[in-house]
Amino acid sequence: MKRGRKNSKTSSHLSDEENTVDGKKVKITDEESAGVFQSPDWGNLIPDIVLKVFRYLPLLDRAHASQVCRVWNKVFHMPELWRCFEFELNQPATSHLKATHPELIKQIIKRHSNHLQYVSFKSHFISALTVMFVNSKSLSSLKIDDTPVDDPSLKVLVANNSDTLKLLKMSSCPHVSPAGILCVADQCHGLRELALNYHLLSDELLLALSSEKHVTLEHLRIDVVSENRGQTHFHTIEKSSWDAFIRHSPKVNLVMYFFLHEEEFDPFFRYEIPVTHLYFGRSVSKEVLGRVGMTCPRLVELVVCANGLRPLDEELIQIAEHCKNLSAIGLGECEVSCSAFVEFVKMCGGRLSQLSIMEEVLIPDQKYNLEQIHWEVSKHLGRVWFPDMMPTW
């Protein structure tokens, strides 16, 4: 009896030591002591939760995770996982990113291309693209960047997705011609958004988008880019083609990004163009900005990176006079006198929801200095406004 009581006390003493953490007693339940604190059974997770996790994983990680158990493998092949996806393949010799093996891409596309609806594709492997175009039947949105896609590939795409394709964005696709894009416009009558380089834009394309069988386009983005100075020839789109296009799609957002050298602007802004959002990524001359004011009556947003050292006083006033829908403007390294800037804001009024200009490019004059311009501009905008400050770091 004594021995039993002694053992009991010893056991109780040991238990107290084992249940002490940082000097505090911690109560352990019978279930915990029985070993419930083991690794969770990931295979018993609800498939909906696994599906949400898979959506955040890169393609290669998804493939690895699908090998954990049967449930995860089943989730990996659920159609819901393949509605929207970005495929990206990199050449190991030219990219610091780890490349996904093309065979994995091919296998997935063969099995799930009929589920794909919203796809962004960056690949140097034409075979992967071809497999997707051949097998897809319900693509709604397609973004193709820096790929070897060509006109025959687009014809395959159109043959399988003409009734469903609504958005097509293409950039850095040198093997595609205007005829290839025209094929898309001729067959995909439900196309609502289109983005492409200027060299793919043609009068025929605009007329195709303006036909009665085609829906009204909602968004057209055109990138006008010159990488090698003086080596790119830019054609001119006829005014009649723009007129037909805007009659058919009167509410379209026409967005144009210009990355040209000053001497390359000659073919542009010679007559009225229905552009709504205009961005100049390089320096643009006073003459060109003056033409913008006269030829872009639908302009809603204007962003100018730089214009040299001559103030844009007359050009800003001209833009305010003729661009009655202008509601956002950003001026980078563009010098403007304080008086002209205040007059511009006064003419545009409260419709200017976005107004950005660096304080350093505002030129004080006899009428306004930098302290006064803050109050004057705020008064005409109907809200407090300050010019942007150049970062000091």
Side-chain angles (χ1 to χ4, degrees), residues 108-152:
I108 292 172
I109 290 177
K110 284 181 179 179
R111 183 160 182 174
H112 296 289
S113 57
N114 59 322
H115 301 143
L116 295 172
Q117 292 182 357
Y118 311 99
V119 177
S120 177
F121 217 110
K122 299 179 181 180
S123 170
H124 294 284
F125 299 92
I126 187 63
S127 55
L129 268 172
T130 304
V131 170
M132 185 185 72
F133 289 168
V134 168
N135 292 278
S136 62
K137 303 295 180 184
S138 57
L139 279 180
S140 174
S141 172
L142 179 62
K143 300 177 184 179
I144 309 175
D145 182 26
D146 192 22
T147 72
V149 64
D150 52 16
D151 292 355

mmCIF file of all heavy atoms in Angstrom, residues 108-152:
data_model
loop_
_atom_site.group_PDB
_atom_site.id
_atom_site.type_symbol
_atom_site.label_atom_id
_atom_site.label_comp_id
_atom_site.label_asym_id
_atom_site.label_seq_id
_atom_site.Cartn_x
_atom_site.Cartn_y
_atom_site.Cartn_z
ATOM 1 N N ILE A 108 -1.977 18.913 -70.665
ATOM 2 C CA ILE A 108 -3.078 19.646 -70.039
ATOM 3 C C ILE A 108 -4.020 20.216 -71.082
ATOM 4 O O ILE A 108 -5.246 20.149 -70.956
ATOM 5 C CB ILE A 108 -2.516 20.764 -69.137
ATOM 6 C CG1 ILE A 108 -1.808 20.143 -67.935
ATOM 7 C CG2 ILE A 108 -3.615 21.705 -68.684
ATOM 8 C CD1 ILE A 108 -1.066 21.121 -67.087
ATOM 9 N N ILE A 109 -3.446 20.768 -72.146
ATOM 10 C CA ILE A 109 -4.280 21.364 -73.184
ATOM 11 C C ILE A 109 -5.118 20.301 -73.883
ATOM 12 O O ILE A 109 -6.296 20.518 -74.194
ATOM 13 C CB ILE A 109 -3.402 22.131 -74.195
ATOM 14 C CG1 ILE A 109 -2.826 23.391 -73.533
ATOM 15 C CG2 ILE A 109 -4.211 22.513 -75.425
ATOM 16 C CD1 ILE A 109 -1.893 24.166 -74.406
ATOM 17 N N LYS A 110 -4.536 19.132 -74.137
ATOM 18 C CA LYS A 110 -5.286 18.066 -74.789
ATOM 19 C C LYS A 110 -6.515 17.674 -73.978
ATOM 20 O O LYS A 110 -7.572 17.371 -74.517
ATOM 21 C CB LYS A 110 -4.390 16.853 -74.995
ATOM 22 C CG LYS A 110 -3.405 16.985 -76.142
ATOM 23 C CD LYS A 110 -2.573 15.722 -76.294
ATOM 24 C CE LYS A 110 -1.601 15.840 -77.469
ATOM 25 N NZ LYS A 110 -0.767 14.633 -77.614
ATOM 26 N N ARG A 111 -6.351 17.686 -72.639
ATOM 27 C CA ARG A 111 -7.441 17.221 -71.791
ATOM 28 C C ARG A 111 -8.421 18.329 -71.426
ATOM 29 O O ARG A 111 -9.609 18.066 -71.219
ATOM 30 C CB ARG A 111 -6.863 16.615 -70.508
ATOM 31 C CG ARG A 111 -7.926 16.045 -69.588
ATOM 32 C CD ARG A 111 -7.341 15.063 -68.608
ATOM 33 N NE ARG A 111 -8.368 14.481 -67.756
ATOM 34 C CZ ARG A 111 -8.159 13.502 -66.887
ATOM 35 N NH1 ARG A 111 -6.951 12.984 -66.775
ATOM 36 N NH2 ARG A 111 -9.139 13.041 -66.144
ATOM 37 N N HIS A 112 -7.940 19.579 -71.352
ATOM 38 C CA HIS A 112 -8.780 20.637 -70.807
ATOM 39 C C HIS A 112 -9.019 21.811 -71.759
ATOM 40 O O HIS A 112 -9.624 22.808 -71.355
ATOM 41 C CB HIS A 112 -8.156 21.180 -69.515
ATOM 42 C CG HIS A 112 -8.078 20.159 -68.421
ATOM 43 N ND1 HIS A 112 -9.186 19.711 -67.752
ATOM 44 C CD2 HIS A 112 -7.020 19.491 -67.893
ATOM 45 C CE1 HIS A 112 -8.825 18.812 -66.851
ATOM 46 N NE2 HIS A 112 -7.511 18.665 -66.919
ATOM 47 N N SER A 113 -8.564 21.732 -72.983
ATOM 48 C CA SER A 113 -8.753 22.859 -73.897
ATOM 49 C C SER A 113 -10.228 23.160 -74.127
ATOM 50 O O SER A 113 -10.612 24.307 -74.376
ATOM 51 C CB SER A 113 -8.054 22.578 -75.227
ATOM 52 O OG SER A 113 -8.531 21.377 -75.796
ATOM 53 N N ASN A 114 -11.093 22.139 -74.051
ATOM 54 C CA ASN A 114 -12.518 22.392 -74.251
ATOM 55 C C ASN A 114 -13.151 23.065 -73.045
ATOM 56 O O ASN A 114 -14.286 23.548 -73.114
ATOM 57 C CB ASN A 114 -13.256 21.074 -74.533
ATOM 58 C CG ASN A 114 -13.095 20.072 -73.407
ATOM 59 O OD1 ASN A 114 -12.031 19.974 -72.820
ATOM 60 N ND2 ASN A 114 -14.141 19.318 -73.116
ATOM 61 N N HIS A 115 -12.404 23.148 -71.897
ATOM 62 C CA HIS A 115 -12.909 23.846 -70.724
ATOM 63 C C HIS A 115 -12.420 25.290 -70.673
ATOM 64 O O HIS A 115 -13.000 26.109 -69.969
ATOM 65 C CB HIS A 115 -12.443 23.139 -69.440
ATOM 66 C CG HIS A 115 -12.893 21.712 -69.350
ATOM 67 N ND1 HIS A 115 -12.103 20.716 -68.802
ATOM 68 C CD2 HIS A 115 -14.032 21.105 -69.755
ATOM 69 C CE1 HIS A 115 -12.741 19.565 -68.860
ATOM 70 N NE2 HIS A 115 -13.915 19.779 -69.441
ATOM 71 N N LEU A 116 -11.337 25.601 -71.388
ATOM 72 C CA LEU A 116 -10.724 26.919 -71.301
ATOM 73 C C LEU A 116 -11.641 27.996 -71.871
ATOM 74 O O LEU A 116 -12.224 27.846 -72.930
ATOM 75 C CB LEU A 116 -9.393 26.939 -72.063
ATOM 76 C CG LEU A 116 -8.290 26.037 -71.502
ATOM 77 C CD1 LEU A 116 -7.102 26.013 -72.450
ATOM 78 C CD2 LEU A 116 -7.859 26.506 -70.130
ATOM 79 N N GLN A 117 -11.736 29.115 -71.130
ATOM 80 C CA GLN A 117 -12.527 30.258 -71.584
ATOM 81 C C GLN A 117 -11.706 31.537 -71.607
ATOM 82 O O GLN A 117 -11.789 32.311 -72.541
ATOM 83 C CB GLN A 117 -13.747 30.443 -70.677
ATOM 84 C CG GLN A 117 -14.779 29.334 -70.779
ATOM 85 C CD GLN A 117 -15.978 29.581 -69.908
ATOM 86 O OE1 GLN A 117 -16.036 30.557 -69.161
ATOM 87 N NE2 GLN A 117 -16.948 28.699 -69.982
ATOM 88 N N TYR A 118 -10.905 31.761 -70.556
ATOM 89 C CA TYR A 118 -10.107 32.984 -70.447
ATOM 90 C C TYR A 118 -8.638 32.583 -70.377
ATOM 91 O O TYR A 118 -8.177 32.073 -69.359
ATOM 92 C CB TYR A 118 -10.506 33.775 -69.198
ATOM 93 C CG TYR A 118 -11.990 33.964 -69.066
ATOM 94 C CD1 TYR A 118 -12.733 33.150 -68.229
ATOM 95 C CD2 TYR A 118 -12.648 34.949 -69.802
ATOM 96 C CE1 TYR A 118 -14.101 33.310 -68.114
ATOM 97 C CE2 TYR A 118 -14.016 35.105 -69.699
ATOM 98 C CZ TYR A 118 -14.735 34.284 -68.846
ATOM 99 O OH TYR A 118 -16.088 34.448 -68.745
ATOM 100 N N VAL A 119 -7.901 32.826 -71.448
ATOM 101 C CA VAL A 119 -6.541 32.304 -71.568
ATOM 102 C C VAL A 119 -5.565 33.425 -71.898
ATOM 103 O O VAL A 119 -5.818 34.254 -72.771
ATOM 104 C CB VAL A 119 -6.467 31.215 -72.663
ATOM 105 C CG1 VAL A 119 -5.032 30.728 -72.817
ATOM 106 C CG2 VAL A 119 -7.389 30.051 -72.321
ATOM 107 N N SER A 120 -4.453 33.418 -71.178
ATOM 108 C CA SER A 120 -3.318 34.270 -71.508
ATOM 109 C C SER A 120 -2.157 33.358 -71.851
ATOM 110 O O SER A 120 -1.796 32.486 -71.060
ATOM 111 C CB SER A 120 -2.955 35.174 -70.319
ATOM 112 O OG SER A 120 -1.812 35.944 -70.608
ATOM 113 N N PHE A 121 -1.576 33.549 -73.033
ATOM 114 C CA PHE A 121 -0.578 32.604 -73.531
ATOM 115 C C PHE A 121 0.720 33.320 -73.867
ATOM 116 O O PHE A 121 0.739 34.238 -74.682
ATOM 117 C CB PHE A 121 -1.106 31.905 -74.784
ATOM 118 C CG PHE A 121 -0.708 30.461 -74.873
ATOM 119 C CD1 PHE A 121 -1.645 29.457 -74.714
ATOM 120 C CD2 PHE A 121 0.603 30.092 -75.113
ATOM 121 C CE1 PHE A 121 -1.298 28.123 -74.805
ATOM 122 C CE2 PHE A 121 0.969 28.773 -75.193
ATOM 123 C CZ PHE A 121 0.017 27.779 -75.047
ATOM 124 N N LYS A 122 1.798 32.899 -73.203
ATOM 125 C CA LYS A 122 3.144 33.382 -73.506
ATOM 126 C C LYS A 122 4.006 32.155 -73.742
ATOM 127 O O LYS A 122 4.339 31.448 -72.799
ATOM 128 C CB LYS A 122 3.705 34.214 -72.344
ATOM 129 C CG LYS A 122 2.885 35.447 -72.015
ATOM 130 C CD LYS A 122 3.479 36.195 -70.840
ATOM 131 C CE LYS A 122 2.649 37.415 -70.494
ATOM 132 N NZ LYS A 122 3.211 38.153 -69.338
ATOM 133 N N SER A 123 4.344 31.913 -74.983
ATOM 134 C CA SER A 123 5.050 30.674 -75.283
ATOM 135 C C SER A 123 5.874 30.810 -76.544
ATOM 136 O O SER A 123 5.490 31.506 -77.481
ATOM 137 C CB SER A 123 4.049 29.532 -75.463
ATOM 138 O OG SER A 123 4.684 28.391 -75.960
ATOM 139 N N HIS A 124 7.013 30.122 -76.567
ATOM 140 C CA HIS A 124 7.843 30.050 -77.767
ATOM 141 C C HIS A 124 7.632 28.726 -78.499
ATOM 142 O O HIS A 124 8.341 28.434 -79.448
ATOM 143 C CB HIS A 124 9.323 30.211 -77.398
ATOM 144 C CG HIS A 124 9.664 31.563 -76.869
ATOM 145 N ND1 HIS A 124 9.795 32.669 -77.685
ATOM 146 C CD2 HIS A 124 9.870 31.990 -75.605
ATOM 147 C CE1 HIS A 124 10.101 33.726 -76.942
ATOM 148 N NE2 HIS A 124 10.148 33.345 -75.683
ATOM 149 N N PHE A 125 6.656 27.949 -78.055
ATOM 150 C CA PHE A 125 6.427 26.632 -78.630
ATOM 151 C C PHE A 125 5.130 26.640 -79.431
ATOM 152 O O PHE A 125 4.036 26.613 -78.870
ATOM 153 C CB PHE A 125 6.385 25.571 -77.534
ATOM 154 C CG PHE A 125 7.660 25.479 -76.748
ATOM 155 C CD1 PHE A 125 7.818 26.216 -75.589
ATOM 156 C CD2 PHE A 125 8.706 24.683 -77.173
ATOM 157 C CE1 PHE A 125 8.996 26.147 -74.855
ATOM 158 C CE2 PHE A 125 9.885 24.609 -76.449
ATOM 159 C CZ PHE A 125 10.037 25.340 -75.296
ATOM 160 N N ILE A 126 5.229 26.697 -80.731
ATOM 161 C CA ILE A 126 4.061 26.764 -81.591
ATOM 162 C C ILE A 126 3.205 25.513 -81.470
ATOM 163 O O ILE A 126 1.983 25.560 -81.639
ATOM 164 C CB ILE A 126 4.492 26.993 -83.063
ATOM 165 C CG1 ILE A 126 3.263 27.242 -83.952
ATOM 166 C CG2 ILE A 126 5.301 25.824 -83.571
ATOM 167 C CD1 ILE A 126 2.493 28.473 -83.612
ATOM 168 N N SER A 127 3.820 24.378 -81.142
ATOM 169 C CA SER A 127 3.064 23.131 -81.030
ATOM 170 C C SER A 127 2.025 23.219 -79.912
ATOM 171 O O SER A 127 0.904 22.721 -80.050
ATOM 172 C CB SER A 127 4.007 21.959 -80.775
ATOM 173 O OG SER A 127 4.813 22.185 -79.635
ATOM 174 N N ALA A 128 2.400 23.837 -78.789
ATOM 175 C CA ALA A 128 1.457 23.977 -77.679
ATOM 176 C C ALA A 128 0.284 24.864 -78.074
ATOM 177 O O ALA A 128 -0.868 24.573 -77.755
ATOM 178 C CB ALA A 128 2.171 24.551 -76.457
ATOM 179 N N LEU A 129 0.564 25.936 -78.780
ATOM 180 C CA LEU A 129 -0.504 26.818 -79.256
ATOM 181 C C LEU A 129 -1.438 26.085 -80.201
ATOM 182 O O LEU A 129 -2.668 26.196 -80.100
ATOM 183 C CB LEU A 129 0.103 28.028 -79.985
ATOM 184 C CG LEU A 129 0.386 29.286 -79.167
ATOM 185 C CD1 LEU A 129 1.150 30.279 -80.017
ATOM 186 C CD2 LEU A 129 -0.901 29.889 -78.673
ATOM 187 N N THR A 130 -0.870 25.350 -81.126
ATOM 188 C CA THR A 130 -1.671 24.647 -82.125
ATOM 189 C C THR A 130 -2.603 23.643 -81.466
ATOM 190 O O THR A 130 -3.780 23.537 -81.827
ATOM 191 C CB THR A 130 -0.758 23.933 -83.134
ATOM 192 O OG1 THR A 130 0.127 24.887 -83.722
ATOM 193 C CG2 THR A 130 -1.581 23.263 -84.208
ATOM 194 N N VAL A 131 -2.083 22.903 -80.478
ATOM 195 C CA VAL A 131 -2.908 21.918 -79.777
ATOM 196 C C VAL A 131 -4.099 22.606 -79.109
ATOM 197 O O VAL A 131 -5.229 22.119 -79.159
ATOM 198 C CB VAL A 131 -2.070 21.150 -78.736
ATOM 199 C CG1 VAL A 131 -2.964 20.299 -77.844
ATOM 200 C CG2 VAL A 131 -1.048 20.273 -79.426
ATOM 201 N N MET A 132 -3.853 23.745 -78.485
ATOM 202 C CA MET A 132 -4.935 24.455 -77.816
ATOM 203 C C MET A 132 -5.977 24.944 -78.815
ATOM 204 O O MET A 132 -7.179 24.804 -78.606
ATOM 205 C CB MET A 132 -4.398 25.642 -77.026
ATOM 206 C CG MET A 132 -5.475 26.348 -76.192
ATOM 207 S SD MET A 132 -4.887 27.831 -75.373
ATOM 208 C CE MET A 132 -4.722 28.953 -76.759
ATOM 209 N N PHE A 133 -5.524 25.516 -79.925
ATOM 210 C CA PHE A 133 -6.459 26.037 -80.926
ATOM 211 C C PHE A 133 -7.292 24.930 -81.556
ATOM 212 O O PHE A 133 -8.462 25.115 -81.870
ATOM 213 C CB PHE A 133 -5.698 26.801 -82.009
ATOM 214 C CG PHE A 133 -5.128 28.119 -81.538
ATOM 215 C CD1 PHE A 133 -4.211 28.812 -82.314
ATOM 216 C CD2 PHE A 133 -5.496 28.657 -80.323
ATOM 217 C CE1 PHE A 133 -3.693 30.025 -81.888
ATOM 218 C CE2 PHE A 133 -4.979 29.864 -79.883
ATOM 219 C CZ PHE A 133 -4.072 30.543 -80.664
ATOM 220 N N VAL A 134 -6.668 23.767 -81.743
ATOM 221 C CA VAL A 134 -7.372 22.646 -82.377
ATOM 222 C C VAL A 134 -8.456 22.100 -81.453
ATOM 223 O O VAL A 134 -9.557 21.762 -81.892
ATOM 224 C CB VAL A 134 -6.383 21.528 -82.758
ATOM 225 C CG1 VAL A 134 -7.126 20.257 -83.135
ATOM 226 C CG2 VAL A 134 -5.508 21.985 -83.927
ATOM 227 N N ASN A 135 -8.166 22.033 -80.150
ATOM 228 C CA ASN A 135 -9.075 21.366 -79.219
ATOM 229 C C ASN A 135 -10.043 22.290 -78.501
ATOM 230 O O ASN A 135 -11.052 21.828 -77.972
ATOM 231 C CB ASN A 135 -8.261 20.589 -78.181
ATOM 232 C CG ASN A 135 -7.530 19.407 -78.778
ATOM 233 O OD1 ASN A 135 -8.097 18.342 -78.972
ATOM 234 N ND2 ASN A 135 -6.253 19.605 -79.095
ATOM 235 N N SER A 136 -9.743 23.581 -78.446
ATOM 236 C CA SER A 136 -10.631 24.486 -77.728
ATOM 237 C C SER A 136 -11.917 24.696 -78.505
ATOM 238 O O SER A 136 -11.924 24.752 -79.732
ATOM 239 C CB SER A 136 -9.932 25.832 -77.498
ATOM 240 O OG SER A 136 -9.615 26.436 -78.737
ATOM 241 N N LYS A 137 -13.021 24.824 -77.763
ATOM 242 C CA LYS A 137 -14.327 25.002 -78.387
ATOM 243 C C LYS A 137 -15.131 26.144 -77.777
ATOM 244 O O LYS A 137 -16.193 26.476 -78.291
ATOM 245 C CB LYS A 137 -15.157 23.709 -78.250
ATOM 246 C CG LYS A 137 -14.491 22.469 -78.832
ATOM 247 C CD LYS A 137 -14.320 22.561 -80.327
ATOM 248 C CE LYS A 137 -13.646 21.297 -80.875
ATOM 249 N NZ LYS A 137 -13.386 21.385 -82.327
ATOM 250 N N SER A 138 -14.625 26.738 -76.691
ATOM 251 C CA SER A 138 -15.437 27.743 -76.003
ATOM 252 C C SER A 138 -14.611 28.914 -75.484
ATOM 253 O O SER A 138 -14.939 29.510 -74.463
ATOM 254 C CB SER A 138 -16.182 27.089 -74.830
ATOM 255 O OG SER A 138 -15.275 26.475 -73.928
ATOM 256 N N LEU A 139 -13.522 29.260 -76.183
ATOM 257 C CA LEU A 139 -12.693 30.377 -75.738
ATOM 258 C C LEU A 139 -13.475 31.682 -75.811
ATOM 259 O O LEU A 139 -14.057 32.022 -76.835
ATOM 260 C CB LEU A 139 -11.432 30.483 -76.592
ATOM 261 C CG LEU A 139 -10.276 29.542 -76.253
ATOM 262 C CD1 LEU A 139 -9.113 29.787 -77.191
ATOM 263 C CD2 LEU A 139 -9.831 29.741 -74.816
ATOM 264 N N SER A 140 -13.462 32.407 -74.698
ATOM 265 C CA SER A 140 -14.118 33.707 -74.657
ATOM 266 C C SER A 140 -13.104 34.845 -74.663
ATOM 267 O O SER A 140 -13.319 35.866 -75.298
ATOM 268 C CB SER A 140 -14.993 33.802 -73.406
ATOM 269 O OG SER A 140 -15.526 35.097 -73.261
ATOM 270 N N SER A 141 -11.985 34.648 -73.951
ATOM 271 C CA SER A 141 -10.954 35.672 -73.844
ATOM 272 C C SER A 141 -9.590 35.056 -74.119
ATOM 273 O O SER A 141 -9.242 34.030 -73.534
ATOM 274 C CB SER A 141 -10.981 36.293 -72.443
ATOM 275 O OG SER A 141 -9.881 37.150 -72.239
ATOM 276 N N LEU A 142 -8.819 35.664 -75.018
ATOM 277 C CA LEU A 142 -7.505 35.145 -75.377
ATOM 278 C C LEU A 142 -6.496 36.285 -75.459
ATOM 279 O O LEU A 142 -6.705 37.259 -76.178
ATOM 280 C CB LEU A 142 -7.575 34.417 -76.724
ATOM 281 C CG LEU A 142 -6.262 33.823 -77.253
ATOM 282 C CD1 LEU A 142 -5.725 32.763 -76.297
ATOM 283 C CD2 LEU A 142 -6.452 33.233 -78.636
ATOM 284 N N LYS A 143 -5.413 36.150 -74.679
ATOM 285 C CA LYS A 143 -4.320 37.110 -74.708
ATOM 286 C C LYS A 143 -3.065 36.376 -75.165
ATOM 287 O O LYS A 143 -2.649 35.403 -74.535
ATOM 288 C CB LYS A 143 -4.100 37.725 -73.326
ATOM 289 C CG LYS A 143 -5.311 38.459 -72.778
ATOM 290 C CD LYS A 143 -5.055 38.987 -71.376
ATOM 291 C CE LYS A 143 -6.302 39.639 -70.802
ATOM 292 N NZ LYS A 143 -6.075 40.151 -69.428
ATOM 293 N N ILE A 144 -2.476 36.825 -76.263
ATOM 294 C CA ILE A 144 -1.303 36.165 -76.834
ATOM 295 C C ILE A 144 -0.159 37.163 -76.855
ATOM 296 O O ILE A 144 -0.250 38.209 -77.485
ATOM 297 C CB ILE A 144 -1.585 35.665 -78.273
ATOM 298 C CG1 ILE A 144 -2.862 34.834 -78.314
ATOM 299 C CG2 ILE A 144 -0.422 34.858 -78.787
ATOM 300 C CD1 ILE A 144 -3.269 34.415 -79.702
ATOM 301 N N ASP A 145 0.914 36.835 -76.153
ATOM 302 C CA ASP A 145 2.033 37.755 -76.032
ATOM 303 C C ASP A 145 3.338 37.048 -76.357
ATOM 304 O O ASP A 145 3.646 36.006 -75.779
ATOM 305 C CB ASP A 145 2.085 38.316 -74.605
ATOM 306 C CG ASP A 145 3.201 39.322 -74.426
ATOM 307 O OD1 ASP A 145 3.608 39.948 -75.432
ATOM 308 O OD2 ASP A 145 3.675 39.499 -73.299
ATOM 309 N N ASP A 146 4.082 37.628 -77.298
ATOM 310 C CA ASP A 146 5.422 37.129 -77.627
ATOM 311 C C ASP A 146 5.397 35.650 -77.998
ATOM 312 O O ASP A 146 6.076 34.814 -77.388
ATOM 313 C CB ASP A 146 6.363 37.364 -76.446
ATOM 314 C CG ASP A 146 7.823 37.139 -76.835
ATOM 315 O OD1 ASP A 146 8.131 37.222 -78.041
ATOM 316 O OD2 ASP A 146 8.642 36.875 -75.936
ATOM 317 N N THR A 147 4.604 35.319 -78.991
ATOM 318 C CA THR A 147 4.476 33.928 -79.430
ATOM 319 C C THR A 147 4.674 33.841 -80.940
ATOM 320 O O THR A 147 4.567 34.840 -81.652
ATOM 321 C CB THR A 147 3.081 33.357 -79.105
ATOM 322 O OG1 THR A 147 2.119 33.943 -79.985
ATOM 323 C CG2 THR A 147 2.684 33.641 -77.674
ATOM 324 N N PRO A 148 4.920 32.628 -81.455
ATOM 325 C CA PRO A 148 5.074 32.447 -82.902
ATOM 326 C C PRO A 148 3.744 32.210 -83.614
ATOM 327 O O PRO A 148 3.717 31.629 -84.688
ATOM 328 C CB PRO A 148 5.971 31.198 -82.984
ATOM 329 C CG PRO A 148 5.594 30.407 -81.784
ATOM 330 C CD PRO A 148 5.272 31.398 -80.705
ATOM 331 N N VAL A 149 2.631 32.611 -83.002
ATOM 332 C CA VAL A 149 1.339 32.424 -83.648
ATOM 333 C C VAL A 149 1.358 33.096 -85.021
ATOM 334 O O VAL A 149 1.946 34.165 -85.205
ATOM 335 C CB VAL A 149 0.204 32.985 -82.776
ATOM 336 C CG1 VAL A 149 0.334 34.483 -82.594
ATOM 337 C CG2 VAL A 149 -1.153 32.636 -83.353
ATOM 338 N N ASP A 150 0.717 32.453 -86.006
ATOM 339 C CA ASP A 150 0.707 32.984 -87.367
ATOM 340 C C ASP A 150 -0.715 32.942 -87.921
ATOM 341 O O ASP A 150 -1.665 32.555 -87.226
ATOM 342 C CB ASP A 150 1.674 32.204 -88.260
ATOM 343 C CG ASP A 150 1.431 30.690 -88.185
ATOM 344 O OD1 ASP A 150 0.348 30.274 -87.707
ATOM 345 O OD2 ASP A 150 2.322 29.928 -88.602
ATOM 346 N N ASP A 151 -0.871 33.351 -89.172
ATOM 347 C CA ASP A 151 -2.199 33.407 -89.791
ATOM 348 C C ASP A 151 -2.890 32.042 -89.828
ATOM 349 O O ASP A 151 -4.081 31.948 -89.490
ATOM 350 C CB ASP A 151 -2.095 33.991 -91.204
ATOM 351 C CG ASP A 151 -1.713 35.462 -91.183
ATOM 352 O OD1 ASP A 151 -1.631 36.035 -90.073
ATOM 353 O OD2 ASP A 151 -1.510 36.045 -92.261
ATOM 354 N N PRO A 152 -2.220 30.951 -90.239
ATOM 355 C CA PRO A 152 -2.875 29.640 -90.212
ATOM 356 C C PRO A 152 -3.361 29.254 -88.812
ATOM 357 O O PRO A 152 -4.426 28.654 -88.660
ATOM 358 C CB PRO A 152 -1.796 28.682 -90.724
ATOM 359 C CG PRO A 152 -0.915 29.536 -91.585
ATOM 360 C CD PRO A 152 -0.888 30.865 -90.894
#
